[in-house]
Amino acid sequence: MGFRKTVEFCMLEQAQRILKDVFGYDAFRGNQAAIIERVATGGDVLVLMPTGGGKSLCYQVPALLREGLAVVVSPLIALMDDQVATLDELGVPAVALNSTQSPEEQRDIADRITRGEIKLLYLAPERLVQPRMLAFLQRQRIALFAIDEAHCVSQWGHDFRPEYLQLGQLAEQFPHVPRIALTATADRRTREEIVNRLHLQQAERFLSSFDRPNIFYRIVPKEQPRKQLIGFLAERRGDAGIVYCLSRKKVEEVAAFLSEQGFPALPYHAGLPSDLRAFHQKRFLNEEGLIMVATIAFGMGIDKPNVRFVAHLDLPKSLEAYYQETGRAGRDGLPADAWMAYGLQDVLLLKQMLNNSEGDERHKRVEQHKLDAMLALCEETRCRRQALLAYFDEELPQPCGHCDNCVDGVQTWNATEPARQALSAIYRSGQRYGVGHLVDILLGRDNEKVRGPGHQHLSVFGVGKSLSEGEWRSLYRQLVARGLADVDLDGFGGLRLSNSCRPLLRGEVELQLRRDLKPQAPKASSSAASQLVRGEEREQWEALRALRRKLAEEHSVPPYVIFPDATLLEMLRSRPSTLAEMARVSGVGARKLERYGEAFLEVLNGKAEAPRAVTDLRHELISLASAGMTPAQIARQLNCTEKNVYSLLAEAIGRQQLSLEQALDLPEELLGEIQDAFLDGEGELPPVAEIADLFAGRVPDGVLHCVRAALQAEFEV
Ligand code: ADP
Ligand code: ZN
């Protein structure tokens, strides 16, 4: 073995030790070891790895192996804070510099860096390239530069950050410092842009498979979307997830609807005030089992690893978007679901939006192709995963066995003749009617709408009685998805023939279509995520989660920063009974063992009462209240008295976890009257009892308690 080999060998051994001692993991995954070796020995690398692949370790381990400060560039404060909190829990000295810190705080951080007390420094790109910052870093020993979310340098992507363009200068300014760029965006064009703009021509490239094997894909025909969504969610109670909708209005409506149905849901879209948006995002990260109903504005920066499902109520406009959005599920590697309901209306809407969008013809054509690829996945008859990966130039040799098409099987049928009839109905009625009318004609429905234009005399009137309404609708949807019929973009969703339907009409080709499955009661096997914890395990699982939540609250971090779900799950399965056994659980490093090992052992060995403490109840209460439920509804949901709900609400308001508006829906005048009553006297706020008579019979005393708590909170700050 040569000298270099020996060095590398020792290095890898050391890396292994750090992996176990600090992070608590037993083995590197995929390319991690090779990447770490290369960076630790001073080389540049470009890492292309899907979400959840484990990119962070690729620079965090070298940061600990090399001498000096590792500088990590990240585009969002939320992402940085999350990483710093995670490292902090692991006992790794890391800090983030950002504009919200006071000059003193910033100076303190600079001092600690100079003293060599910090291993990782997280920075926004605009901060890093300030001349003063660069000069400061020139005076330090730098272990490496990590450029996270490196695709932000690409002008073609939707996450473009102009500040990223300036990061190219690091190559010149710090020629001897290794640089590692990481992204989960794999397409070739973005990759080359990253290399060119960041001057990474010498970098070794590590390209991982972009498959997300833990995600189960399912796409269902949209019939009664809300009912279908509830059916999907019912099997996933208590899981955190995202429901994507196209419009802000729909986001609000669906969030309200879910709350009414007892699913704690929050809206998120660009039209909400930014502090409310930030508040909802924070709650989504910090609490368990919340559903975020969102437009695509809710995107990058969601690092929550235990998002158990992503549901689409509207069609994304490309496979790139679909992959990215569904990819937010299951970062932790545990089973997760990507579910979508899709119908003809989606196609019409997106085609119309496309047509009305700005941009030249060429751009529109590109977008049209992207939409077509998305539609093709919806109507796909083979394995969805194979089709999805093929679009990104990756070949999966076998059907995956983990998508709806693989599990349920797909029935196709020869639709040649009915398709001709359907097209003929479009043509003969003048190419301007929507699907509802066309189906009426085919089924021979003798109603006013059909009679008006005299369509009961058409030769196709009533020729389609052998198929059901649902089958005809499915057929029209597939004709449009395949481009055999076009949507009238200026009108009201009328259909017309497209050029490509000629061979079919002339009888030159056959048409095989997908048969929509009858919606059925979901089989147990149809849901991957709900299988996570079963029956008798459930109680202990909840106990472990409750302990984690309590610790998270004490440390002011999201629960997953204490331990990820996968670690809790392994505790549940491997049942460690001593600290030594606990240390063997994946995800339990030295620091966490010392801090939390004992407490979790106690819960596992049944020595500790699960802290299903009031904290749980409080959490749920806050979720439900801010999701818009009334105190009476909450009381029913939580199975406690209304009076109790009011006093917990008042408490939450007092601690500013909830605003008065979120808690209660009071008419403005009444609210003013109550506030005046409290503020009438001098000095201290009077107790509720003193003013209760004024409002007897008009509002429950609990309301007064809430208003008082809000006033008090206001005065304290
Ligand atoms: P990415 O940034 O690529 O989306 P992360 O770095 O957040 O992924 O890692 C995803 C999850 O996988 C994290 O919970 C992380 O702790 C875990 N993880 C990463 N590498 C390993 C490993 N070698 N063994 C076990 N878990 C790992
Ligand atoms: Zn499959």
Side-chain angles (χ1 to χ4, degrees):
M1 215 184 280
F3 173 68
R4 201 184 144 80
K5 274 266 170 287
T6 319
V7 170
E8 280 169 14
F9 182 74
C10 295
M11 208 274 314
L12 262 183
E13 209 177 355
Q14 240 178 316
Q16 284 280 355
R17 201 165 315 130
I18 289 175
L19 182 70
K20 183 63 206 167
D21 289 350
V22 177
F23 297 91
Y25 297 135
D26 295 319
F28 287 113
R29 278 185 189 158
N31 290 329
Q32 278 176 337
I35 294 166
I36 288 166
E37 180 178 329
R38 169 95 182 171
V39 177
T41 51
D44 294 341
V45 303
L46 172 62
V47 176
L48 304 127
M49 207 185 259
T51 306
K55 286 187 284 298
S56 320
L57 284 188
C58 295
Y59 56 85
Q60 288 170 347
V61 174
L64 297 178
L65 282 166
R66 287 175 67 85
E67 241 178 276
L69 176 75
V71 179
V72 185
V73 183
S74 177
L76 292 174
I77 292 183
L79 291 181
M80 295 191 232
D81 289 346
D82 212 61
Q83 294 263 358
V84 169
T86 304
L87 289 167
D88 198 49
E89 283 295 324
L90 295 169
V92 176
V95 291
L97 262 183
N98 65 56
S99 46
T100 65
Q101 291 156 334
S102 68
E104 292 81 61
E105 280 177 282
Q106 303 195 11
R107 212 165 312 128
D108 178 55
I109 290 174
D111 288 345
R112 285 163 65 202
I113 290 173
T114 311
R115 290 198 299 270
E117 292 170 12
I118 305 289
K119 280 311 298 181
L120 290 104
L121 170 67
Y122 284 79
L123 279 176
E126 60 272 23
R127 208 66 204 286
L128 173 58
V129 297
Q130 282 171 2
R132 270 187 60 198
M133 178 57 75
L134 289 171
F136 171 74
L137 293 176
Q138 289 286 4
R139 295 194 297 274
Q140 313 300 320
R141 176 157 192 165
I142 306 295
L144 59 92
F145 285 106
I147 300 164
D148 207 1
E149 312 284 354
H151 61 279
C152 289
V153 81
S154 159
Q155 269 160 318
W156 306 105
H158 34 76
D159 296 330
F160 176 55
R161 295 291 186 110
E163 312 88 68
Y164 263 69
L165 293 174
Q166 294 192 50
L167 296 174
Q169 58 180 302
L170 293 177
E172 281 168 35
Q173 298 229 16
F174 300 86
H176 304 298
V177 177
R179 290 172 303 137
I180 167 172
L182 312 101
T183 178
T185 304
D187 69 86
R188 217 164 274 154
R189 184 165 164 182
T190 311
R191 202 185 308 166
E192 295 316 317
E193 253 188 299
I194 294 173
V195 167
N196 288 328
R197 295 182 191 272
L198 296 181
H199 304 302
L200 284 168
Q201 284 82 359
Q202 308 302 320
E204 188 170 346
R205 301 178 183 196
F206 292 91
L207 175 61
S208 310
S209 163
F210 271 70
D211 185 20
R212 300 288 311 280
N214 57 320
I215 297 181
F216 186 99
Y217 296 97
R218 179 178 294 281
I219 302 178
V220 301
K222 198 187 272 187
E223 278 145 13
Q224 295 167 284
R226 290 188 175 188
K227 199 169 154 207
Q228 290 170 288
L229 179 65
I230 292 290
F232 171 77
L233 296 178
E235 299 172 61
R236 290 163 185 79
R237 273 191 191 277
D239 285 346
I242 306 172
V243 176
Y244 278 113
C245 303
L246 202 56
S247 70
R248 297 172 184 187
K249 182 160 163 278
K250 188 160 169 189
V251 162
E252 303 268 358
E253 288 169 0
V254 171
F257 167 73
L258 289 181
S259 305
E260 268 164 42
Q261 301 288 319
F263 292 94
L266 299 172
Y268 188 105
H269 59 70
L272 293 174
S274 64
D275 52 342
L276 188 62
R277 250 178 4 215
F279 179 62
H280 285 180
Q281 171 153 345
K282 196 157 181 104
R283 289 196 46 206
F284 183 66
L285 295 181
N286 284 304
E287 294 171 32
E288 286 175 306
L290 271 189
I291 299 171
M292 193 69 114
V293 185
T295 59
I296 51 172
F298 188 58
M300 198 170 66
I302 316 162
D303 250 3
K304 188 180 171 75
N306 55 342
V307 174
R308 290 271 69 81
F309 63 83
V310 169
H312 279 96
L313 277 186
D314 292 308
L315 190 68
K317 61 188 181 36
S318 66
L319 280 181
E320 286 87 347
Y322 175 76
Y323 177 82
Q324 200 169 47
E325 285 154 26
T326 55
R328 303 202 168 108
R331 278 183 72 126
D332 54 10
L334 295 174
D337 286 283
W339 180 92
M340 174 157 82
Y342 135 90
L344 181 60
Q345 215 47 43
D346 290 297
V347 189
L348 301 187
L349 200 64
L350 283 179
K351 291 209 169 191
Q352 253 153 4
M353 280 172 57
L354 191 65
N355 194 51
N356 298 335
S357 68
E358 313 265 307
D360 54 23
E361 279 312 307
R362 205 178 71 100
H363 175 75
K364 282 189 188 176
R365 256 201 316 278
V366 172
E367 297 294 304
Q368 179 64 53
H369 281 303
K370 292 191 166 184
L371 177 56
D372 288 342
M374 183 68 239
L375 294 174
L377 183 76
C378 294
E379 306 293 359
E380 182 60 67
T381 53
R382 296 161 304 160
C383 167
R384 302 244 196 233
R385 193 180 311 271
Q386 277 184 318
L388 185 59
L389 289 173
Y391 180 79
F392 296 111
D393 295 322
E394 192 177 325
E395 193 196 342
L396 194 69
Q398 297 292 322
C400 74
H402 197 51
C403 71
D404 55 349
N405 286 358
C406 282
V407 170
D408 302 342
V410 181
Q411 288 178 19
T412 58
W413 61 297
N414 186 334
T416 312
E417 192 47 38
R420 274 198 215 121
Q421 292 171 339
L423 293 170
S424 174
I426 294 176
Y427 184 70
R428 289 183 192 284
S429 58
Q431 310 206 60
R432 54 205 178 93
Y433 288 92
V435 171
H437 189 85
L438 296 168
V439 172
D440 279 354
I441 295 175
L442 287 162
L443 291 177
R445 286 181 177 150
D446 200 352
N447 57 29
E448 304 235 321
K449 265 173 43 218
V450 171
R451 272 177 182 277
H455 287 166
Q456 74 276 26
H457 302 305
L458 295 180
S459 59
V460 285
F461 183 76
V463 297
K465 289 182 179 162
S466 59
L467 296 185
S468 69
E469 161 141 16
E471 285 167 321
W472 280 117
R473 285 184 177 269
S474 160
L475 190 144
Y476 272 116
R477 186 193 75 226
Q478 296 188 59
L479 289 178
V480 174
R482 288 166 176 253
L484 294 166
D486 269 340
V487 193
D488 179 5
L489 293 173
D490 313 315
F492 302 91
L495 298 190
R496 48 191 165 75
L497 302 190
S498 75
N499 284 336
S500 54
C501 79
R502 297 236 159 94
L504 181 66
L505 279 179
R506 286 198 294 258
E508 294 163 10
V509 293
E510 299 259 292
L511 184 66
Q512 290 286 329
L513 289 186
R514 201 187 150 97
R515 194 185 286 288
D516 286 351
L517 291 175
K518 288 262 166 309
Q520 50 191 313
K523 294 167 280 182
S525 68
S526 66
S527 142
S530 63
Q531 298 293 307
L532 217 53
V533 179
R534 262 173 269 150
E536 65 275 25
E537 283 180 330
R538 192 93 223 176
E539 202 173 317
Q540 196 149 44
W541 169 248
E542 291 305 337
L544 291 172
R545 292 219 300 181
L547 172 60
R548 176 174 68 172
R549 199 147 57 226
K550 176 169 155 277
L551 295 170
E553 255 173 44
E554 287 169 12
H555 291 231
S556 313
V557 294
Y560 54 82
V561 168
I562 301 289
F563 281 128
D565 283 3
T567 301
L568 288 199
L569 206 58
E570 198 183 316
M571 285 184 195
L572 193 67
R573 302 270 150 83
S574 69
R575 324 209 117 273
S577 59
T578 62
L579 279 177
E581 282 168 20
M582 182 62 104
R584 261 176 254 138
V585 172
S586 174
V588 183
R591 169 66 73 102
K592 289 191 176 173
L593 181 71
E594 181 193 315
R595 279 197 184 169
Y596 309 126
E598 207 60 71
F600 280 91
L601 276 180
E602 281 182 10
V603 169
L604 282 167
N605 298 330
K607 291 208 193 83
E609 272 296 303
R612 151 136 191 123
V614 208
T615 49
D616 285 8
L617 203 63
R618 287 204 182 109
H619 259 287
E620 218 171 326
L621 171 106
I622 292 173
S623 306
L624 297 173
S626 39
M629 283 173 98
T630 65
Q633 288 170 321
I634 298 174
R636 234 171 298 139
Q637 178 81 19
L638 296 181
N639 214 354
C640 64
T641 66
E642 223 168 298
K643 192 158 171 250
N644 247 330
V645 170
Y646 275 114
S647 72
L648 286 171
L649 284 175
E651 202 182 302
I653 294 170
R655 277 195 259 116
Q656 303 200 322
Q657 294 165 319
L658 200 66
S659 71
L660 187 63
E661 292 72 41
Q662 286 173 317
L664 303 174
D665 196 14
L666 282 181
E668 216 164 297
E669 262 174 51
L670 179 59
L671 174 61
E673 210 180 315
I674 301 174
Q675 285 171 330
D676 288 346
F678 274 120
L679 298 172
D680 224 11
E682 296 279 307
E684 297 265 299
L685 291 175
V688 167
E690 249 172 58
I691 66 155
D693 279 351
L694 290 175
F695 300 94
R698 291 168 65 196
V699 290
D701 283 0
V703 170
L704 305 180
H705 282 286
C706 289
V707 176
R708 188 174 189 278
L711 286 171
Q712 204 153 29
E714 211 173 300
F715 290 138
E716 271 168 14
V717 291

Coordinates of all heavy atoms in Angstrom, one line a residue, residues 335-372:
P335 N -41.6 4.7 4.8 CA -42.6 4.7 3.7 C -43.4 6.0 3.7 O -43.7 6.6 4.7 CB -43.5 3.5 4.2 CG -42.7 2.7 5.0 CD -41.7 3.5 5.7
A336 N -43.7 6.4 2.5 CA -44.5 7.7 2.3 C -45.3 7.5 1.0 O -45.0 6.6 0.2 CB -43.5 8.9 2.1
D337 N -46.3 8.4 0.9 CA -47.2 8.2 -0.2 C -47.3 9.5 -1.1 O -47.3 10.6 -0.6 CB -48.7 8.0 0.3 CG -48.8 6.6 0.7 OD1 -48.9 5.7 -0.1 OD2 -48.8 6.4 2.0
A338 N -47.3 9.3 -2.4 CA -47.6 10.4 -3.3 C -48.9 10.0 -4.0 O -49.0 9.0 -4.6 CB -46.5 10.5 -4.4
W339 N -49.9 10.9 -3.8 CA -51.3 10.6 -4.2 C -51.8 11.7 -5.0 O -51.5 12.9 -4.7 CB -52.1 10.3 -3.0 CG -53.6 10.0 -3.2 CD1 -54.1 8.7 -3.4 CD2 -54.7 10.9 -3.3 NE1 -55.5 8.8 -3.6 CE2 -55.9 10.1 -3.5 CE3 -54.8 12.3 -3.3 CZ2 -57.1 10.7 -3.7 CZ3 -56.1 12.9 -3.5 CH2 -57.2 12.1 -3.6
M340 N -52.5 11.4 -6.1 CA -53.0 12.5 -6.9 C -54.3 12.1 -7.5 O -54.5 11.0 -7.9 CB -52.0 12.9 -8.0 CG -52.6 13.9 -9.0 SD -51.3 14.8 -9.9 CE -51.0 13.6 -11.2
A341 N -55.3 13.1 -7.5 CA -56.6 12.9 -8.2 C -56.5 13.8 -9.4 O -56.1 15.0 -9.3 CB -57.7 13.3 -7.3
Y342 N -56.8 13.2 -10.5 CA -56.7 14.0 -11.8 C -57.8 13.8 -12.7 O -58.4 12.7 -12.8 CB -55.3 13.6 -12.4 CG -55.4 13.3 -13.9 CD1 -55.1 14.3 -14.8 CD2 -55.7 12.0 -14.4 CE1 -55.1 14.1 -16.1 CE2 -55.7 11.8 -15.7 CZ -55.4 12.9 -16.6 OH -55.5 12.6 -17.9
G343 N -58.3 14.9 -13.3 CA -59.4 14.7 -14.2 C -59.3 15.7 -15.4 O -58.4 16.5 -15.5
L344 N -60.3 15.5 -16.3 CA -60.3 16.3 -17.5 C -60.2 17.8 -17.2 O -59.6 18.6 -17.9 CB -61.6 16.0 -18.4 CG -61.7 16.8 -19.7 CD1 -60.5 16.5 -20.6 CD2 -63.0 16.4 -20.4
Q345 N -60.9 18.2 -16.2 CA -61.0 19.6 -15.8 C -59.5 20.2 -15.6 O -59.3 21.3 -16.0 CB -61.8 19.8 -14.6 CG -62.6 21.1 -14.5 CD -63.4 21.4 -15.8 OE1 -63.9 20.5 -16.4 NE2 -63.3 22.6 -16.2
D346 N -58.7 19.4 -15.0 CA -57.3 19.8 -14.8 C -56.6 20.1 -16.1 O -55.9 21.1 -16.3 CB -56.5 18.7 -14.1 CG -56.9 18.5 -12.7 OD1 -56.7 19.4 -11.9 OD2 -57.4 17.4 -12.4
V347 N -56.9 19.2 -17.1 CA -56.2 19.4 -18.4 C -56.7 20.7 -19.0 O -55.9 21.5 -19.6 CB -56.5 18.2 -19.3 CG1 -55.7 18.3 -20.6 CG2 -56.3 16.9 -18.6
L348 N -58.0 20.9 -19.0 CA -58.5 22.1 -19.6 C -57.9 23.3 -19.0 O -57.5 24.3 -19.7 CB -60.1 22.2 -19.4 CG -60.9 21.0 -20.0 CD1 -62.4 21.3 -19.8 CD2 -60.5 20.7 -21.4
L349 N -57.9 23.3 -17.6 CA -57.4 24.5 -16.9 C -55.9 24.8 -17.3 O -55.6 25.9 -17.6 CB -57.5 24.2 -15.4 CG -57.5 25.4 -14.5 CD1 -58.7 26.3 -14.9 CD2 -57.6 25.0 -13.1
L350 N -55.1 23.8 -17.2 CA -53.7 24.0 -17.5 C -53.5 24.4 -18.9 O -52.6 25.3 -19.2 CB -52.9 22.7 -17.2 CG -52.6 22.5 -15.7 CD1 -51.9 21.2 -15.4 CD2 -51.9 23.7 -15.0
K351 N -54.2 23.8 -19.8 CA -54.0 24.2 -21.2 C -54.4 25.7 -21.4 O -53.8 26.4 -22.2 CB -54.8 23.3 -22.2 CG -54.3 21.9 -22.2 CD -54.5 21.2 -23.5 CE -53.7 19.9 -23.5 NZ -53.6 19.2 -24.8
Q352 N -55.5 26.1 -20.8 CA -55.9 27.4 -20.9 C -54.9 28.4 -20.3 O -54.6 29.4 -20.9 CB -57.3 27.6 -20.1 CG -58.4 27.8 -21.1 CD -59.7 27.4 -20.5 OE1 -59.8 27.0 -19.4 NE2 -60.8 27.4 -21.3
M353 N -54.4 28.0 -19.1 CA -53.4 28.9 -18.5 C -52.1 29.0 -19.4 O -51.6 30.1 -19.5 CB -52.9 28.3 -17.2 CG -53.9 28.6 -16.0 SD -53.5 27.7 -14.5 CE -51.9 28.2 -14.2
L354 N -51.8 27.9 -20.0 CA -50.6 27.9 -20.9 C -50.9 28.8 -22.1 O -50.0 29.6 -22.4 CB -50.4 26.5 -21.4 CG -49.1 26.2 -22.1 CD1 -48.0 26.3 -21.1 CD2 -49.1 24.7 -22.6
N355 N -52.0 28.7 -22.6 CA -52.4 29.5 -23.8 C -52.4 31.0 -23.4 O -51.9 31.9 -24.2 CB -53.7 29.1 -24.3 CG -54.0 29.7 -25.7 OD1 -53.1 29.5 -26.5 ND2 -55.1 30.3 -25.9
N356 N -52.8 31.4 -22.2 CA -52.9 32.8 -21.9 C -51.6 33.3 -21.3 O -51.5 34.5 -21.0 CB -54.0 33.0 -20.8 CG -55.4 32.6 -21.4 OD1 -55.6 32.6 -22.6 ND2 -56.3 32.2 -20.5
S357 N -50.6 32.4 -21.1 CA -49.4 32.9 -20.5 C -48.6 33.8 -21.4 O -48.8 33.7 -22.6 CB -48.6 31.7 -20.0 OG -48.1 31.0 -21.2
E358 N -47.7 34.5 -20.8 CA -46.8 35.3 -21.5 C -45.8 34.4 -22.2 O -45.8 33.2 -21.9 CB -46.0 36.3 -20.6 CG -46.8 37.0 -19.6 CD -47.2 38.4 -20.1 OE1 -46.3 39.1 -20.4 OE2 -48.4 38.7 -20.1
G359 N -45.0 35.0 -23.1 CA -43.9 34.1 -23.6 C -44.1 33.9 -25.1 O -45.2 33.9 -25.6
D360 N -43.0 33.5 -25.8 CA -43.1 33.4 -27.2 C -43.6 31.9 -27.5 O -43.8 31.1 -26.6 CB -41.7 33.6 -27.8 CG -40.7 32.8 -27.2 OD1 -41.0 31.7 -26.6 OD2 -39.5 33.2 -27.3
E361 N -43.8 31.7 -28.8 CA -44.3 30.4 -29.2 C -43.4 29.3 -28.8 O -43.9 28.2 -28.4 CB -44.5 30.4 -30.8 CG -45.8 31.1 -31.2 CD -47.0 30.7 -30.4 OE1 -47.3 29.5 -30.4 OE2 -47.7 31.5 -29.8
R362 N -42.1 29.5 -29.0 CA -41.2 28.4 -28.7 C -41.3 28.0 -27.2 O -41.4 26.8 -26.9 CB -39.8 28.9 -29.0 CG -38.8 27.7 -29.3 CD -37.5 28.3 -29.6 NE -36.8 28.8 -28.4 CZ -35.9 28.1 -27.7 NH1 -35.5 26.9 -28.1 NH2 -35.4 28.6 -26.6
H363 N -41.4 29.0 -26.4 CA -41.5 28.7 -24.9 C -42.8 27.9 -24.7 O -42.8 27.0 -23.9 CB -41.5 30.0 -24.2 CG -41.8 29.9 -22.7 ND1 -40.8 29.4 -21.9 CD2 -42.9 30.2 -22.0 CE1 -41.3 29.4 -20.6 NE2 -42.6 29.8 -20.7
K364 N -43.9 28.4 -25.3 CA -45.2 27.7 -25.1 C -45.1 26.3 -25.6 O -45.7 25.4 -25.0 CB -46.3 28.4 -25.8 CG -46.7 29.7 -25.1 CD -48.0 30.3 -25.7 CE -48.3 31.6 -25.1 NZ -49.4 32.3 -25.7
R365 N -44.4 26.0 -26.7 CA -44.3 24.7 -27.2 C -43.6 23.8 -26.2 O -44.0 22.6 -25.9 CB -43.6 24.6 -28.5 CG -44.6 24.4 -29.7 CD -43.9 23.9 -30.9 NE -42.6 24.5 -31.3 CZ -42.5 25.7 -31.9 NH1 -43.6 26.3 -32.3 NH2 -41.4 26.2 -32.2
V366 N -42.5 24.3 -25.6 CA -41.8 23.6 -24.6 C -42.7 23.2 -23.4 O -42.7 22.1 -23.0 CB -40.5 24.4 -24.1 CG1 -39.9 23.6 -22.9 CG2 -39.5 24.5 -25.2
E367 N -43.4 24.2 -23.0 CA -44.3 24.0 -21.8 C -45.4 23.0 -22.2 O -45.8 22.2 -21.4 CB -45.0 25.3 -21.4 CG -44.0 26.4 -20.9 CD -43.3 25.9 -19.6 OE1 -44.0 25.6 -18.6 OE2 -42.1 25.9 -19.6
Q368 N -45.8 23.0 -23.4 CA -46.9 22.1 -23.9 C -46.3 20.7 -23.8 O -47.0 19.8 -23.4 CB -47.3 22.5 -25.3 CG -48.3 21.6 -25.9 CD -49.6 21.6 -25.2 OE1 -50.2 22.7 -24.9 NE2 -50.1 20.5 -24.7
H369 N -45.1 20.5 -24.3 CA -44.5 19.2 -24.2 C -44.4 18.7 -22.8 O -44.6 17.5 -22.5 CB -43.1 19.2 -24.9 CG -43.2 19.2 -26.4 ND1 -43.8 18.2 -27.0 CD2 -42.7 20.0 -27.3 CE1 -43.7 18.4 -28.3 NE2 -43.0 19.5 -28.5
K370 N -44.0 19.6 -21.9 CA -43.9 19.2 -20.5 C -45.2 18.7 -19.9 O -45.3 17.7 -19.2 CB -43.3 20.3 -19.7 CG -41.9 20.6 -20.0 CD -41.3 21.6 -19.0 CE -39.8 21.6 -19.3 NZ -39.1 22.5 -18.3
L371 N -46.3 19.5 -20.3 CA -47.6 19.1 -19.8 C -48.0 17.7 -20.4 O -48.6 16.9 -19.7 CB -48.6 20.2 -20.2 CG -50.1 19.9 -19.8 CD1 -50.2 19.6 -18.3 CD2 -51.0 21.1 -20.2
D372 N -47.7 17.5 -21.7 CA -48.0 16.3 -22.3 C -47.4 15.1 -21.6 O -48.0 14.0 -21.4 CB -47.6 16.3 -23.8 CG -48.5 17.2 -24.6 OD1 -49.6 17.5 -24.1 OD2 -48.1 17.5 -25.7

